[in-house]
Amino acid sequence: MIGREFTKLDWDDLRHFLALAQSGTLLGAAKQLGVEHATISRRVSSLEASLGRKLVDRRGRRIVLTSEGEQVARHAALVAAQTAAIEQLGRSSATELRGHVRISAPPALSSVLLAKPIAAVRRSHPGVEVTLVGEKRLASLNRREADIAVRMSRPEDGDYAIVKLGETSFHLYASKTYLETVPPSDWTFIGYDETMNTSPQQLRLMELAAGRPIAVRSSVLEFQAATASLGAGVVMLPDFAVLESGGLQRIETEHILTREIWLVVHSDIKDVPSVRVVVDALKNALGEVVRSVGGEAVNSKRT
């Protein structure tokens, strides 16, 4: 555009646009950055105004990048990668145990298993700040959405240092009164909501229910355990969760389900002091609860 005055780019505008390009929705980008979706929209509009170009085509909830938007997204991804590399260089060179560490973990693990080790880190290393995000989705370590991930499946791709922490078994539980008063043919079940329909534990629960109703559903494991202890039905829980949930009695049946627990950290930052102390705390604490398998760290570098 001849005669148009160029406006200096705001990196925050570019960062918000990149999150939108990666997630494809305003809500997804907002969740990735921890902001309101209106902030994403405002930042993207600001970037479009600065460049004098239309970058996104808004079609309902989905966002489609224009050809120029795709070009900007590619360049923004390179800038973000270089910025992350510089940030990690600063963290790696630090000799003092200071810094911020972000952990991603499934909600069930977050609430039951991770509070104790994180509190221990804060007591021993007050300069280390920790953010724990309990989420069902797998955060991208490559995009630095998290520094450490605790997962119930082994990642298949990426340059990661991976430790198998152990395994946890799942069993059916119910209150003593429920088991004494309700015959198995009339049992109702407590399970996850539809967002977890494809999870191994939900699939196994539906198999065991064998047509009997799953009458209470929740994405919150503590709620499932609490309603079961109050006589609302039969629930399938990881055994470690029952330590925090009184009033439940295990139903002795055939083997139900076993899932592995993995700790994952990107190879670029595994030796950063602040990350290392958090990793060690998680390994030690979780090893006390889940059945240890003696796993050692291994590198997974796949393309």
Side-chain angles (χ1 to χ4, degrees):
M1 184 180 296
I2 298 176
R4 179 181 179 275
E5 182 179 351
F6 179 76
T7 303
K8 185 178 179 181
L9 290 181
D10 186 326
W11 163 242
D12 276 339
D13 289 349
L14 201 60
R15 183 168 62 90
H16 285 72
F17 168 73
L18 179 59
L20 179 63
Q22 291 172 338
S23 66
T25 66
L26 289 170
L27 290 177
K31 183 175 181 180
Q32 180 177 320
L33 296 182
V35 300
E36 296 293 331
H37 67 87
T39 301
I40 302 293
S41 181
R42 176 172 55 82
R43 287 287 189 174
V44 171
S45 295
S46 175
L47 180 62
E48 289 179 322
S50 297
L51 295 175
R53 298 288 188 273
K54 184 178 181 180
L55 304 179
V56 298
D57 185 2
R58 296 166 176 82
R59 300 178 182 176
R61 294 183 178 181
R62 292 297 302 179
I63 297 295
V64 179
L65 298 184
T66 65
S67 59
E68 290 176 322
E70 291 176 351
Q71 291 180 354
V72 172
R74 285 194 295 269
H75 290 301
L78 293 174
V79 173
Q82 292 301 318
T83 300
I86 294 170
E87 290 173 349
Q88 298 308 333
L89 178 63
R91 293 171 70 179
S92 298
S93 63
T95 56
E96 187 178 2
L97 278 175
R98 303 188 65 85
H100 177 256
V101 179
R102 185 177 178 90
I103 306 169
S104 170
L109 296 178
S110 301
S111 58
V112 178
L113 296 183
L114 303 187
K116 182 177 178 180
I118 290 174
V121 168
R122 289 290 304 141
R123 288 194 301 269
S124 302
H125 307 287
V128 177
E129 299 176 358
V130 179
T131 295
L132 174 63
V133 181
E135 52 189 355
K136 294 185 285 291
R137 76 181 187 96
L138 303 181
S140 172
L141 301 185
N142 286 329
R143 294 202 300 265
R144 300 302 192 266
E145 293 178 0
D147 300 306
I148 299 168
V150 180
R151 297 176 175 172
M152 299 188 79
S153 59
R154 191 184 195 281
E156 296 298 328
D157 300 296
D159 184 8
Y160 303 134
I162 303 172
V163 177
K164 184 176 180 180
L165 296 172
E167 299 174 348
T168 186
S169 296
F170 289 72
H171 286 89
L172 295 178
Y173 292 87
S175 70
K176 184 173 184 294
T177 301
Y178 187 88
L179 294 176
E180 290 174 345
T181 58
V182 180
S185 59
D186 293 335
W187 283 354
T188 61
F189 292 82
I190 301 166
Y192 286 99
D193 61 18
E194 63 277 359
T195 64
M196 293 282 286
N197 275 347
T198 59
S199 69
Q201 54 266 42
Q202 185 77 347
L203 291 173
R204 181 63 173 140
L205 179 65
M206 290 188 290
E207 179 183 347
L208 292 167
R212 291 170 291 183
I214 300 178
V216 178
R217 296 174 182 263
S218 174
S219 62
V220 181
L221 195 69
E222 296 90 340
F223 178 81
Q224 293 184 31
T227 53
S229 68
L230 294 171
V234 176
V235 65
M236 187 167 72
L237 297 172
D239 292 340
F240 65 76
V242 183
L243 298 175
E244 303 294 327
S245 305
L248 290 175
Q249 181 173 317
R250 180 189 290 187
I251 301 171
E252 296 300 337
T253 60
E254 63 183 65
H255 174 73
I256 300 298
L257 178 69
T258 298
R259 295 204 64 185
E260 300 169 338
I261 300 179
W262 297 85
L263 187 147
V264 188
V265 60
H266 199 282
S267 296
D268 289 347
I269 61 171
K270 64 183 178 64
D271 294 321
V272 172
S274 57
V275 174
R276 172 51 57 188
V277 297
V278 176
V279 167
D280 289 344
L282 296 180
K283 287 169 57 179
N284 293 336
L286 270 65
E288 294 177 358
V289 179
V290 299
R291 180 160 54 86
S292 175
V293 294
E296 295 295 332
V298 294
N299 285 329
S300 172
K301 191 170 186 179
R302 304 176 184 175
T303 56

